[in-house]
Amino acid sequence: MSELKRIGILINGGDAPGLNAVIRAIIKTARVHGVESYGFIEGFKGLVENNYMLLEGNPVASGIIQKGGAIIKSSLNTNVFNYKVVNEDGTVEYKDLSDVCVQNLKDDGIDCLFMLGGDSTQKAARDLSLKGIKVIGVPKTIDNDVACTDVTFGFNTAVSVATDALDRLHTTAETHNRIMTLEVMGRYAGWIALESAIAGGADVALLPEIPYDLDKVVETINDRKKRGKNFSVIVVSEGAYPKGGSFCIKDKREGGAGVINVQLGGAGESVAKALEEITGMTARNTTLGYMQRGGTPTATDRVLCTKYGAKAMELALEGKFNVLTVLKDGKLNSIPLEEVVGNNKEIGAVEGGTEESNMRTIKMDDDLIKTARDIGICLGD
Ligand code: F6P
Protein backbone atom coordinates (compact mmCIF):
# COMPACT_ATOMS: atom_id res chain seq x y z
CA MET A 1 0.00 0.00 0.00
CA SER A 2 1.33 3.42 -0.96
CA GLU A 3 1.84 6.31 1.43
CA LEU A 4 -0.51 8.35 -0.68
CA LYS A 5 -4.01 8.63 0.65
CA ARG A 6 -5.73 11.32 -1.38
CA ILE A 7 -4.96 12.88 -4.69
CA GLY A 8 -6.59 15.88 -6.37
CA ILE A 9 -7.17 16.53 -10.06
CA LEU A 10 -7.42 19.99 -11.58
CA ILE A 11 -7.93 21.12 -15.16
CA ASN A 12 -6.95 24.53 -16.44
CA GLY A 13 -7.28 26.06 -19.89
CA GLY A 14 -9.36 25.32 -22.95
CA ASP A 15 -10.93 21.89 -23.06
CA ALA A 16 -9.49 19.09 -25.15
CA PRO A 17 -11.02 15.75 -26.10
CA GLY A 18 -9.86 13.09 -23.66
CA LEU A 19 -9.96 15.01 -20.39
CA ASN A 20 -12.43 12.53 -18.92
CA ALA A 21 -10.37 9.60 -20.16
CA VAL A 22 -7.35 10.90 -18.21
CA ILE A 23 -9.48 11.44 -15.09
CA ARG A 24 -10.82 7.89 -15.43
CA ALA A 25 -7.33 6.39 -15.73
CA ILE A 26 -6.13 8.27 -12.66
CA ILE A 27 -9.13 7.17 -10.59
CA LYS A 28 -8.80 3.54 -11.67
CA THR A 29 -5.05 3.34 -11.03
CA ALA A 30 -5.50 5.10 -7.69
CA ARG A 31 -8.26 2.68 -6.66
CA VAL A 32 -6.02 -0.34 -7.17
CA HIS A 33 -3.63 1.17 -4.63
CA GLY A 34 -6.28 2.26 -2.14
CA VAL A 35 -5.87 5.97 -2.94
CA GLU A 36 -8.91 8.27 -3.00
CA SER A 37 -9.36 10.64 -5.95
CA TYR A 38 -10.88 14.11 -5.72
CA GLY A 39 -11.56 16.66 -8.44
CA PHE A 40 -11.42 20.43 -8.03
CA ILE A 41 -14.43 22.00 -9.76
CA GLU A 42 -13.64 24.53 -12.48
CA GLY A 43 -9.90 24.25 -12.08
CA PHE A 44 -8.17 27.05 -10.22
CA LYS A 45 -11.52 28.53 -9.19
CA GLY A 46 -12.25 25.31 -7.31
CA LEU A 47 -8.79 25.34 -5.76
CA VAL A 48 -9.15 28.95 -4.57
CA GLU A 49 -12.68 28.35 -3.24
CA ASN A 50 -11.86 24.85 -2.00
CA ASN A 51 -14.69 23.42 -4.04
CA TYR A 52 -14.06 19.78 -4.86
CA MET A 53 -15.84 16.46 -5.25
CA LEU A 54 -15.02 12.88 -4.45
CA LEU A 55 -14.50 11.01 -7.71
CA GLU A 56 -13.96 7.52 -6.36
CA GLY A 57 -17.30 5.67 -6.46
CA ASN A 58 -19.10 8.74 -7.82
CA PRO A 59 -21.60 7.82 -10.59
CA VAL A 60 -20.63 11.08 -12.35
CA ALA A 61 -17.16 9.61 -12.83
CA SER A 62 -18.39 6.40 -14.38
CA GLY A 63 -18.71 5.57 -18.10
CA ILE A 64 -16.76 8.66 -19.12
CA ILE A 65 -13.96 7.47 -21.42
CA GLN A 66 -15.86 8.52 -24.55
CA LYS A 67 -17.31 11.78 -23.20
CA GLY A 68 -16.15 15.19 -24.42
CA GLY A 69 -15.68 18.11 -22.04
CA ALA A 70 -14.72 17.42 -18.44
CA ILE A 71 -16.83 16.20 -15.52
CA ILE A 72 -14.93 18.56 -13.20
CA LYS A 73 -14.92 21.48 -15.67
CA SER A 74 -11.94 23.76 -16.27
CA SER A 75 -10.78 27.29 -15.50
CA LEU A 76 -10.00 29.63 -18.40
CA ASN A 77 -7.59 32.53 -18.38
CA THR A 78 -6.96 32.13 -14.67
CA ASN A 79 -3.73 32.55 -12.79
CA VAL A 80 -3.78 31.97 -9.03
CA PHE A 81 -0.67 34.13 -8.69
CA ASN A 82 -2.59 37.05 -10.18
CA TYR A 83 -6.23 36.09 -9.58
CA LYS A 84 -9.03 38.31 -10.80
CA VAL A 85 -11.27 39.32 -7.88
CA VAL A 86 -14.43 41.36 -8.50
CA ASN A 87 -15.26 43.41 -5.41
CA GLU A 88 -18.82 44.10 -4.22
CA ASP A 89 -18.71 47.59 -5.71
CA GLY A 90 -17.80 46.08 -9.09
CA THR A 91 -14.15 47.13 -9.02
CA VAL A 92 -11.63 44.57 -10.18
CA GLU A 93 -8.44 43.65 -8.36
CA TYR A 94 -5.74 41.09 -9.13
CA LYS A 95 -4.44 39.23 -6.08
CA ASP A 96 -1.86 36.54 -5.45
CA LEU A 97 -4.03 33.76 -4.00
CA SER A 98 -1.47 30.99 -4.33
CA ASP A 99 -1.09 30.75 -0.55
CA VAL A 100 -4.85 30.20 -0.23
CA CYS A 101 -4.51 27.29 -2.67
CA VAL A 102 -1.58 25.84 -0.74
CA GLN A 103 -3.53 26.06 2.52
CA ASN A 104 -6.63 24.48 0.98
CA LEU A 105 -4.61 21.54 -0.34
CA LYS A 106 -3.04 21.05 3.09
CA ASP A 107 -6.40 21.29 4.86
CA ASP A 108 -7.92 18.79 2.41
CA GLY A 109 -5.07 16.34 2.95
CA ILE A 110 -4.30 16.19 -0.78
CA ASP A 111 -0.95 14.42 -1.12
CA CYS A 112 -0.49 15.14 -4.80
CA LEU A 113 -2.21 17.44 -7.27
CA PHE A 114 -2.52 16.29 -10.88
CA MET A 115 -2.66 19.29 -13.18
CA LEU A 116 -4.08 18.69 -16.63
CA GLY A 117 -3.23 21.55 -18.95
CA GLY A 118 -1.05 23.23 -21.52
CA ASP A 119 2.09 25.28 -21.13
CA SER A 120 0.57 27.93 -18.86
CA THR A 121 -0.89 25.27 -16.57
CA GLN A 122 2.43 23.44 -16.37
CA LYS A 123 4.05 26.77 -15.55
CA ALA A 124 1.53 27.22 -12.72
CA ALA A 125 2.20 23.62 -11.63
CA ARG A 126 5.90 24.36 -11.39
CA ASP A 127 5.20 27.61 -9.55
CA LEU A 128 3.00 25.78 -7.01
CA SER A 129 5.68 23.12 -6.59
CA LEU A 130 8.04 25.89 -5.47
CA LYS A 131 5.54 26.61 -2.69
CA GLY A 132 5.82 23.03 -1.43
CA ILE A 133 2.90 21.42 -3.27
CA LYS A 134 3.54 18.01 -4.82
CA VAL A 135 2.30 18.20 -8.38
CA ILE A 136 2.31 16.05 -11.48
CA GLY A 137 1.44 17.53 -14.87
CA VAL A 138 -0.39 15.86 -17.73
CA PRO A 139 0.06 17.58 -21.12
CA LYS A 140 -3.32 18.64 -22.45
CA THR A 141 -4.04 20.78 -25.47
CA ILE A 142 -5.31 20.30 -28.98
CA ASP A 143 -2.43 22.59 -30.08
CA ASN A 144 0.27 19.96 -29.33
CA ASP A 145 2.64 22.73 -28.26
CA VAL A 146 3.71 21.64 -24.77
CA ALA A 147 7.49 21.45 -24.40
CA CYS A 148 9.32 18.18 -23.67
CA THR A 149 6.67 15.78 -24.96
CA ASP A 150 6.11 14.38 -28.44
CA VAL A 151 2.37 14.67 -28.16
CA THR A 152 -0.38 16.18 -26.03
CA PHE A 153 -3.77 14.57 -25.60
CA GLY A 154 -6.64 16.04 -27.61
CA PHE A 155 -4.39 16.74 -30.58
CA ASN A 156 -5.23 13.57 -32.48
CA THR A 157 -8.95 14.27 -32.20
CA ALA A 158 -8.51 17.86 -33.37
CA VAL A 159 -6.54 16.66 -36.40
CA SER A 160 -9.29 14.13 -37.17
CA VAL A 161 -11.96 16.82 -37.02
CA ALA A 162 -9.91 19.10 -39.29
CA THR A 163 -9.25 16.22 -41.69
CA ASP A 164 -12.95 15.45 -41.91
CA ALA A 165 -13.61 19.13 -42.65
CA LEU A 166 -10.99 19.06 -45.41
CA ASP A 167 -12.57 15.98 -47.00
CA ARG A 168 -15.86 17.85 -47.12
CA LEU A 169 -14.32 21.08 -48.40
CA HIS A 170 -12.59 19.16 -51.17
CA THR A 171 -15.79 17.98 -52.78
CA THR A 172 -17.45 21.38 -52.68
CA ALA A 173 -14.24 23.10 -53.90
CA GLU A 174 -14.01 20.73 -56.86
CA THR A 175 -17.69 21.03 -57.76
CA HIS A 176 -17.54 24.83 -57.98
CA ASN A 177 -13.93 25.42 -59.06
CA ARG A 178 -13.23 27.38 -55.91
CA ILE A 179 -10.40 28.04 -53.55
CA MET A 180 -11.31 26.86 -50.07
CA THR A 181 -9.38 27.98 -47.01
CA LEU A 182 -9.82 26.22 -43.69
CA GLU A 183 -8.67 28.11 -40.61
CA VAL A 184 -7.65 25.76 -37.83
CA MET A 185 -6.53 26.35 -34.24
CA GLY A 186 -3.07 25.87 -32.83
CA ARG A 187 -2.19 29.33 -31.62
CA TYR A 188 1.53 29.88 -32.34
CA ALA A 189 2.20 26.27 -33.41
CA GLY A 190 1.17 24.76 -36.75
CA TRP A 191 0.81 21.11 -35.70
CA ILE A 192 -2.93 20.84 -36.36
CA ALA A 193 -2.56 22.66 -39.68
CA LEU A 194 0.33 20.56 -40.92
CA GLU A 195 -0.96 17.15 -39.89
CA SER A 196 -4.49 17.81 -41.14
CA ALA A 197 -3.11 19.19 -44.42
CA ILE A 198 -1.21 15.95 -44.97
CA ALA A 199 -4.11 13.74 -43.86
CA GLY A 200 -6.73 15.78 -45.72
CA GLY A 201 -4.81 16.09 -48.99
CA ALA A 202 -4.57 19.88 -48.90
CA ASP A 203 -2.55 21.74 -51.54
CA VAL A 204 -1.22 24.45 -49.23
CA ALA A 205 -0.59 24.64 -45.48
CA LEU A 206 0.23 28.01 -43.91
CA LEU A 207 1.88 27.72 -40.51
CA PRO A 208 2.93 30.22 -37.84
CA GLU A 209 6.45 28.79 -38.11
CA ILE A 210 6.81 29.86 -41.76
CA PRO A 211 5.69 33.43 -42.55
CA TYR A 212 4.07 33.03 -45.94
CA ASP A 213 4.62 34.62 -49.32
CA LEU A 214 1.26 34.80 -51.09
CA ASP A 215 2.95 34.71 -54.51
CA LYS A 216 4.09 31.15 -53.72
CA VAL A 217 0.53 30.16 -52.90
CA VAL A 218 -0.69 31.72 -56.15
CA GLU A 219 2.02 29.78 -58.03
CA THR A 220 0.71 26.53 -56.55
CA ILE A 221 -2.88 27.40 -57.50
CA ASN A 222 -1.81 28.26 -61.05
CA ASP A 223 0.30 25.10 -61.39
CA ARG A 224 -2.73 23.08 -60.39
CA LYS A 225 -4.85 24.88 -62.97
CA LYS A 226 -2.32 23.97 -65.66
CA ARG A 227 -2.81 20.34 -64.63
CA GLY A 228 -6.56 20.69 -65.01
CA LYS A 229 -7.26 21.13 -61.30
CA ASN A 230 -9.42 24.20 -61.14
CA PHE A 231 -9.75 24.20 -57.37
CA SER A 232 -7.43 24.34 -54.41
CA VAL A 233 -7.74 23.54 -50.73
CA ILE A 234 -5.66 25.52 -48.26
CA VAL A 235 -5.19 25.00 -44.53
CA VAL A 236 -4.43 28.20 -42.64
CA SER A 237 -3.27 28.00 -39.07
CA GLU A 238 -4.86 30.73 -36.94
CA GLY A 239 -1.32 31.89 -36.13
CA ALA A 240 -0.17 32.11 -39.77
CA TYR A 241 0.93 35.52 -41.01
CA PRO A 242 2.50 36.96 -44.17
CA LYS A 243 6.20 37.73 -44.45
CA GLY A 244 6.76 41.14 -42.90
CA GLY A 245 3.22 41.06 -41.45
CA SER A 246 1.82 40.08 -38.08
CA PHE A 247 -0.71 37.75 -36.43
CA CYS A 248 -4.43 38.24 -37.11
CA ILE A 249 -5.92 39.25 -33.77
CA LYS A 250 -9.65 38.86 -33.37
CA ASP A 251 -9.98 40.23 -29.88
CA LYS A 252 -8.09 41.31 -26.80
CA ARG A 253 -9.23 40.89 -23.23
CA GLU A 254 -8.20 42.34 -19.91
CA GLY A 255 -7.37 39.28 -17.83
CA GLY A 256 -4.40 40.78 -16.06
CA ALA A 257 -0.79 39.62 -16.19
CA GLY A 258 -0.02 35.92 -16.46
CA VAL A 259 -2.99 34.87 -18.59
CA ILE A 260 -3.54 34.80 -22.31
CA ASN A 261 -5.07 38.12 -23.31
CA VAL A 262 -5.02 37.74 -27.08
CA GLN A 263 -7.54 35.82 -29.16
CA LEU A 264 -6.29 34.96 -32.63
CA GLY A 265 -8.67 34.82 -35.60
CA GLY A 266 -9.16 35.99 -39.15
CA ALA A 267 -6.06 34.50 -40.81
CA GLY A 268 -8.12 32.17 -43.06
CA GLU A 269 -10.48 34.93 -44.14
CA SER A 270 -7.63 37.29 -44.99
CA VAL A 271 -5.86 34.64 -47.11
CA ALA A 272 -9.12 33.80 -48.94
CA LYS A 273 -9.82 37.45 -49.65
CA ALA A 274 -6.33 38.16 -50.95
CA LEU A 275 -6.32 35.06 -53.16
CA GLU A 276 -9.70 35.96 -54.64
CA GLU A 277 -8.37 39.39 -55.59
CA ILE A 278 -5.14 38.08 -57.10
CA THR A 279 -6.42 34.97 -58.92
CA GLY A 280 -9.92 36.10 -59.86
CA MET A 281 -11.20 32.74 -58.60
CA THR A 282 -13.91 32.58 -55.99
CA ALA A 283 -12.45 31.86 -52.56
CA ARG A 284 -14.36 30.91 -49.44
CA ASN A 285 -13.13 30.51 -45.90
CA THR A 286 -14.34 28.16 -43.20
CA THR A 287 -13.17 28.70 -39.64
CA LEU A 288 -13.37 25.40 -37.82
CA GLY A 289 -13.12 26.90 -34.32
CA TYR A 290 -14.32 25.09 -31.25
CA MET A 291 -15.43 21.99 -33.18
CA GLN A 292 -11.80 20.97 -32.75
CA ARG A 293 -12.03 21.05 -28.96
CA GLY A 294 -15.40 19.51 -28.24
CA GLY A 295 -16.86 16.05 -28.45
CA THR A 296 -15.73 12.48 -28.40
CA PRO A 297 -12.02 11.67 -28.35
CA THR A 298 -10.63 9.36 -31.03
CA ALA A 299 -9.52 5.85 -30.04
CA THR A 300 -5.90 7.04 -30.33
CA ASP A 301 -6.56 9.85 -27.87
CA ARG A 302 -8.43 7.52 -25.49
CA VAL A 303 -5.45 5.19 -25.40
CA LEU A 304 -3.00 8.08 -24.98
CA CYS A 305 -5.11 9.58 -22.18
CA THR A 306 -5.29 6.24 -20.41
CA LYS A 307 -1.52 5.85 -20.69
CA TYR A 308 -0.94 9.39 -19.42
CA GLY A 309 -3.40 9.06 -16.54
CA ALA A 310 -2.09 5.69 -15.38
CA LYS A 311 1.53 6.84 -15.70
CA ALA A 312 0.82 10.03 -13.77
CA MET A 313 -0.62 8.01 -10.88
CA GLU A 314 2.30 5.55 -11.07
CA LEU A 315 4.73 8.46 -10.75
CA ALA A 316 2.89 9.69 -7.67
CA LEU A 317 2.99 6.20 -6.14
CA GLU A 318 6.74 6.10 -6.77
CA GLY A 319 7.12 9.51 -5.11
CA LYS A 320 8.29 11.21 -8.31
CA PHE A 321 6.69 14.62 -8.03
CA ASN A 322 7.00 17.97 -9.77
CA VAL A 323 7.29 16.39 -13.19
CA LEU A 324 5.31 16.32 -16.41
CA THR A 325 4.09 12.99 -17.73
CA VAL A 326 5.40 12.78 -21.28
CA LEU A 327 5.72 10.55 -24.31
CA LYS A 328 9.25 10.60 -25.68
CA ASP A 329 10.23 8.47 -28.68
CA GLY A 330 7.10 6.39 -28.19
CA LYS A 331 7.80 5.68 -24.50
CA LEU A 332 6.04 7.02 -21.43
CA ASN A 333 8.37 9.03 -19.28
CA SER A 334 8.52 12.06 -16.99
CA ILE A 335 10.38 15.36 -17.24
CA PRO A 336 11.02 17.81 -14.37
CA LEU A 337 8.66 20.79 -14.59
CA GLU A 338 11.73 23.04 -14.33
CA GLU A 339 12.73 21.79 -17.77
CA VAL A 340 9.24 22.14 -19.12
CA VAL A 341 9.01 25.83 -18.22
CA GLY A 342 12.41 26.52 -19.79
CA ASN A 343 13.50 30.10 -19.23
CA ASN A 344 10.08 31.17 -18.03
CA LYS A 345 11.37 31.06 -14.45
CA GLU A 346 9.76 33.95 -12.63
CA ILE A 347 6.90 32.75 -10.43
CA GLY A 348 3.46 33.65 -11.80
CA ALA A 349 4.92 35.82 -14.53
CA VAL A 350 4.76 35.13 -18.26
CA GLU A 351 1.49 33.84 -19.64
CA GLY A 352 1.30 30.57 -21.54
CA GLY A 353 0.90 30.29 -25.28
CA THR A 354 3.08 33.30 -25.97
CA GLU A 355 6.39 33.49 -27.71
CA GLU A 356 8.12 34.11 -24.36
CA SER A 357 6.74 30.91 -22.87
CA ASN A 358 8.34 27.55 -23.58
CA MET A 359 6.22 26.32 -26.48
CA ARG A 360 7.01 23.38 -28.74
CA THR A 361 6.62 24.69 -32.27
CA ILE A 362 7.44 22.79 -35.47
CA LYS A 363 11.14 22.74 -36.28
CA MET A 364 12.13 22.93 -39.93
CA ASP A 365 13.91 19.56 -39.74
CA ASP A 366 10.76 17.79 -38.53
CA ASP A 367 9.81 14.78 -40.68
CA LEU A 368 6.35 16.28 -41.18
CA ILE A 369 7.82 19.34 -42.93
CA LYS A 370 9.91 17.11 -45.18
CA THR A 371 6.97 14.83 -45.96
CA ALA A 372 4.75 17.79 -46.81
CA ARG A 373 7.38 19.22 -49.13
CA ASP A 374 8.09 15.80 -50.70
CA ILE A 375 4.50 15.43 -51.82
CA GLY A 376 4.31 19.01 -53.09
CA ILE A 377 2.29 20.70 -50.35
CA CYS A 378 3.11 24.41 -50.57
CA LEU A 379 4.13 25.79 -47.18
CA GLY A 380 4.03 29.37 -48.37
CA ASP A 381 7.78 29.74 -48.82
O1 F6P B 1 -5.08 26.42 -26.74
C1 F6P B 1 -6.22 25.86 -27.25
C2 F6P B 1 -6.96 26.84 -28.07
O2 F6P B 1 -8.08 26.16 -28.53
C3 F6P B 1 -6.19 27.50 -29.21
O3 F6P B 1 -6.01 26.66 -30.29
C4 F6P B 1 -7.03 28.72 -29.48
O4 F6P B 1 -6.30 29.77 -30.02
C5 F6P B 1 -7.50 29.09 -28.12
O5 F6P B 1 -7.43 27.93 -27.32
C6 F6P B 1 -8.86 29.67 -28.03
O6 F6P B 1 -9.04 30.06 -26.72
P1 F6P B 1 -10.35 30.64 -26.07
O7 F6P B 1 -11.00 29.49 -25.36
O8 F6P B 1 -9.82 31.64 -25.12
O9 F6P B 1 -11.20 31.20 -27.14
Side-chain angles (χ1 to χ4, degrees):
M1 187 76 74
S2 138
E3 298 201 343
L4 290 183
K5 287 194 171 54
R6 303 176 133 200
I7 61 91
I9 305 174
L10 174 153
I11 304 169
N12 179 53
D15 62 344
L19 282 162
N20 288 322
V22 175
I23 293 171
R24 173 179 177 270
I26 294 174
I27 301 172
K28 280 182 171 277
T29 312
R31 177 184 303 146
V32 171
H33 296 273
V35 179
E36 266 183 0
S37 303
Y38 290 80
F40 285 93
I41 316 293
E42 275 187 59
F44 286 128
K45 185 169 187 278
L47 191 55
V48 167
E49 295 172 3
N50 208 18
N51 182 18
Y52 58 84
M53 69 172 171
L54 175 63
L55 296 171
E56 172 56 42
N58 190 333
V60 171
S62 172
I64 57 172
I65 193 167
Q66 78 289 5
K67 281 191 184 157
I71 55 165
I72 54 174
K73 302 194 172 199
S74 176
S75 41
L76 263 182
N77 309 312
T78 311
N79 177 3
V80 288
F81 292 84
N82 192 39
Y83 196 81
K84 187 174 181 176
V85 178
V86 184
N87 298 316
E88 274 178 17
D89 62 1
T91 53
V92 171
E93 269 183 276
Y94 291 91
K95 293 183 178 171
D96 180 355
L97 296 185
S98 57
D99 287 338
V100 174
C101 299
V102 170
Q103 195 56 51
N104 285 341
L105 286 164
K106 283 188 182 154
D107 292 347
D108 300 339
I110 299 290
D111 301 312
C112 174
L113 182 65
F114 293 92
M115 295 180 64
L116 282 46
D119 58 333
S120 44
T121 309
Q122 302 315 329
K123 170 72 167 52
R126 173 274 194 177
D127 292 353
L128 281 175
S129 78
L130 295 181
K131 294 203 148 220
I133 298 302
K134 290 173 180 161
V135 294
I136 292 179
V138 184
K140 168 232 70 174
T141 169
I142 62 163
D143 301 342
N144 201 30
D145 61 354
V146 175
C148 304
T149 186
D150 293 345
V151 67
T152 58
F153 73 85
F155 170 64
N156 181 268
T157 309
V159 171
S160 298
V161 172
T163 302
D164 181 52
L166 286 169
D167 289 346
R168 291 169 192 280
L169 290 174
H170 248 110
T171 59
T172 171
E174 187 167 11
T175 306
H176 298 294
N177 296 330
R178 281 175 164 174
I179 297 167
M180 288 288 178
T181 59
L182 176 70
E183 182 182 309
V184 297
M185 284 184 166
R187 217 182 288 274
Y188 305 109
W191 297 106
I192 299 176
L194 187 53
E195 284 217 357
S196 66
I198 293 171
D203 309 299
V204 179
L206 302 180
L207 318 171
E209 291 87 346
I210 306 177
Y212 62 83
D213 175 350
L214 214 54
D215 291 342
K216 301 286 177 191
V217 180
V218 173
E219 255 174 46
T220 301
I221 293 167
N222 289 338
D223 283 352
R224 284 177 53 74
K225 274 198 199 161
K226 280 185 209 145
R227 286 185 282 119
K229 306 262 189 187
N230 290 320
F231 68 97
S232 286
V233 175
I234 300 174
V235 184
V236 183
S237 181
E238 63 178 355
Y241 60 94
K243 265 187 189 161
S246 53
F247 298 117
C248 283
I249 293 175
K250 189 174 177 208
D251 207 3
K252 290 196 177 180
R253 55 194 159 219
E254 214 15 87
V259 301
I260 295 158
N261 285 312
V262 166
Q263 188 191 359
L264 297 176
E269 192 63 58
S270 84
V271 171
K273 217 170 152 207
L275 288 176
E276 189 164 274
E277 274 166 25
I278 300 169
T279 64
M281 289 170 73
T282 304
R284 293 279 190 267
N285 176 63
T286 301
T287 299
L288 200 50
Y290 298 88
M291 299 280 290
Q292 294 157 95
R293 279 186 8 190
T296 304
T298 57
T300 299
D301 259 333
R302 293 183 203 191
V303 173
L304 179 66
C305 289
T306 306
K307 283 162 85 172
Y308 272 159
K311 176 70 180 178
M313 190 63 219
E314 249 179 50
L315 289 165
L317 291 163
E318 288 164 11
K320 286 190 189 152
F321 301 110
N322 310 335
V323 292
L324 179 70
T325 314
V326 300
L327 199 75
K328 266 281 162 209
D329 305 323
K331 285 255 166 240
L332 282 173
N333 210 330
S334 63
I335 299 279
L337 286 167
E338 270 314 325
E339 267 181 57
V340 177
V341 302
N343 292 325
N344 192 2
K345 295 289 184 206
E346 202 184 323
I347 292 192
V350 179
E351 66 193 57
T354 65
E355 284 167 291
E356 297 80 31
S357 67
N358 198 23
M359 281 180 304
R360 191 178 79 99
T361 53
I362 308 176
K363 300 286 169 278
M364 289 309 110
D365 61 354
D366 195 291
D367 282 349
L368 284 174
I369 295 277
K370 187 166 185 315
T371 301
R373 293 197 195 281
D374 281 346
I375 61 162
I377 297 178
C378 167
L379 299 179
D381 60 347

